[in-house]
């Protein structure tokens, strides 16, 4: 009986040691450093991952988030612009870019990006609301009015869906 138990334990140990381990996906190390608040290390690791996979949109988005958190909006914008080169019809990239530009008080650049995002994602509340506010700030009254109307329509639709 003692030998059987020992054999079972040994066999289990062998299977555990032989089990394949998942290697981290590109960006996992950078994300872990970011979560720990270690932004210089996160920046280094995301740049290494992007060198290997420069067209990976998810890595570019992660890089932008890391650099925004590190207060380096220029680098964040550079990564988003690179991502847009590879995926120009990705509305979420345009929204991310627009929000950074808005936060930097670059209203004209934010307007351009929000306008593109709302064209690509006409039902995205962030895109439409951003367009309304930036158009108003630039004095584009007619476009702002139309975007505000669309914003109200989307909010009403979302509230109706939520109540069902």
């Amino acid at each position: 009986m003692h030998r059987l138990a020992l054999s079972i334990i040994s066999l289990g140990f062998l299977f555990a040691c032989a089990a394949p381990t998942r290697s981290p996906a590109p960006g996992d190390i950078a994300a872990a450093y970011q979560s720990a608040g270690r932004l210089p290390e996160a920046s280094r690791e995301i740049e290494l991952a992007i060198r290997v996979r420069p067209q990976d949109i998810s890595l570019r988005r992660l890089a932008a988030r890391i650099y925004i958190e590190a207060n380096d909006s220029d680098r964040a914008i550079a990564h988003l612009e690179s991502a847009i080169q590879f995926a120009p019809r990705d509305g979420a990239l345009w929204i991310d870019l627009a929000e950074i530009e808005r936060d930097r008080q670059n209203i004209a650049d934010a307007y351009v990006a929000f306008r593109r995002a709302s064209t690509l994602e006409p039902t995205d509340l962030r895109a439409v609301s951003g367009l309304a506010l930036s158009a108003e700030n630039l004095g584009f009254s007619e476009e702002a009015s139309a975007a505000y109307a669309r914003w109200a329509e989307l909010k009403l639709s979302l509230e109706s869906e939520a109540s069902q």
Side-chain angles (χ1 to χ4, degrees):
M1 185 73 159
H2 177 65
R3 281 186 171 194
L4 180 61
L6 188 56
S7 294
I8 291 172
I9 291 171
S10 297
L11 194 57
F13 179 76
L14 284 175
F15 278 116
C17 291
T21 58
R22 181 182 84 79
S23 61
D28 284 355
I29 296 169
Y33 276 132
Q34 180 192 21
S35 294
R38 297 175 60 182
L39 299 177
E41 293 90 346
S43 300
R44 181 191 67 236
E45 292 298 327
I46 196 62
E47 292 298 338
L48 291 172
I50 287 171
R51 277 190 209 144
V52 174
R53 296 174 67 183
Q55 295 184 11
D56 188 321
I57 303 305
S58 64
L59 290 178
R60 296 285 183 170
R61 277 192 176 112
L62 176 58
R65 287 192 304 270
I66 289 169
Y67 286 118
I68 284 299
E69 195 172 329
N71 294 315
D72 190 345
S73 58
D74 289 337
R75 279 189 138 172
I77 288 172
H79 279 290
L80 289 173
E81 288 175 341
S82 291
I84 287 169
Q85 292 289 319
F86 301 120
R89 300 195 51 76
D90 187 329
L93 289 171
W94 287 98
I95 292 169
D96 292 345
L97 179 61
E99 288 177 340
I100 293 170
E101 293 292 11
R102 179 199 59 215
D103 293 345
R104 290 172 24 140
Q105 301 300 308
N106 293 334
I107 303 304
D109 291 339
Y111 164 78
V112 170
F114 277 127
R115 190 163 196 232
R116 180 72 175 140
S118 67
T119 300
L120 293 170
E121 302 289 341
T123 60
D124 189 295
L125 201 55
R126 291 183 312 149
V128 174
S129 63
L131 176 61
L133 294 168
S134 60
E136 180 180 42
N137 284 333
L138 292 172
F140 302 152
S141 302
E142 288 182 35
E143 188 172 13
S145 293
Y148 276 118
R150 179 74 180 130
W151 184 4
E153 181 183 300
L154 288 172
K155 279 184 70 173
L156 186 60
S157 175
L158 288 172
E159 290 169 359
S160 174
E161 289 175 15
S163 67
Q164 291 179 3

